[in-house]
Amino acid sequence: MTYASALVRNPYATYRQIDVVGRTAVADGPALVQLLYEELIAALRAAAWAVERAQYAKKGERLTRATAILYALEAGLDFDKGGDVALTLGSFYGGVRRAIVDASIGSSPVPFREAADSLSEIAQAWKTARAA
């Protein structure tokens, strides 16, 4: 009965969890990277939303998720095969992570939106490359 109770409390969160699990179950490597970008951008936008509404617990939760995804993206880089691109992405991910951590003590949503916008550009390029 506990499981059913959790479904009733937050059906949106339940749906998102099922959606993510379903998409990761059938995704190849590039599709997983694209999914990570989508989840990262969503987490940062949700953190900005939470800041605007003084929902600091939600902000912390979303920033923790964003930081974990950035670490996962960085850990997935192949520096032997990726060369300069991997080095550049590694530096970029580290910079975004530092900006998020620095901004996490503040009360402005702007840094989280800026980070999401920067990542959106890379996510779009990744999506375009996958489609080619």
Side-chain angles (χ1 to χ4, degrees):
M1 199 59 162
T2 306
Y3 179 75
S5 298
L7 290 175
V8 172
R9 276 194 303 261
N10 192 343
Y12 176 74
T14 303
Y15 170 79
R16 290 259 315 137
Q17 182 66 27
I18 292 168
D19 179 52
V20 169
V21 169
R23 289 192 294 162
T24 58
V26 296
D28 59 359
L32 288 174
V33 171
Q34 188 170 343
L35 177 62
L36 286 173
Y37 275 117
E38 291 170 9
E39 292 296 314
L40 174 55
I41 292 163
L44 290 169
R45 293 196 193 289
W49 178 90
V51 168
E52 291 172 338
R53 287 155 183 81
Q55 294 185 7
Y56 299 112
K58 179 62 80 175
K59 170 189 157 189
E61 175 189 307
R62 298 291 81 200
L63 293 179
T64 298
R65 181 166 178 77
T67 303
I69 293 170
L70 283 165
Y71 275 118
L73 286 167
E74 191 171 3
L77 292 173
D78 186 338
F79 292 99
D80 293 330
K81 293 180 184 174
D84 288 341
V85 172
L87 289 171
T88 300
L89 284 172
S91 294
F92 176 70
Y93 296 151
V96 171
R97 195 173 55 248
R98 281 187 298 280
I100 290 170
V101 170
D102 290 347
S104 68
I105 60 172
S107 59
S108 172
V110 173
F112 308 123
R113 285 209 176 86
E114 289 175 347
D117 290 344
S118 294
L119 288 157
S120 290
E121 291 178 31
I122 295 174
Q124 185 58 45
W126 184 261
K127 191 174 186 176
T128 301
R130 280 195 67 227

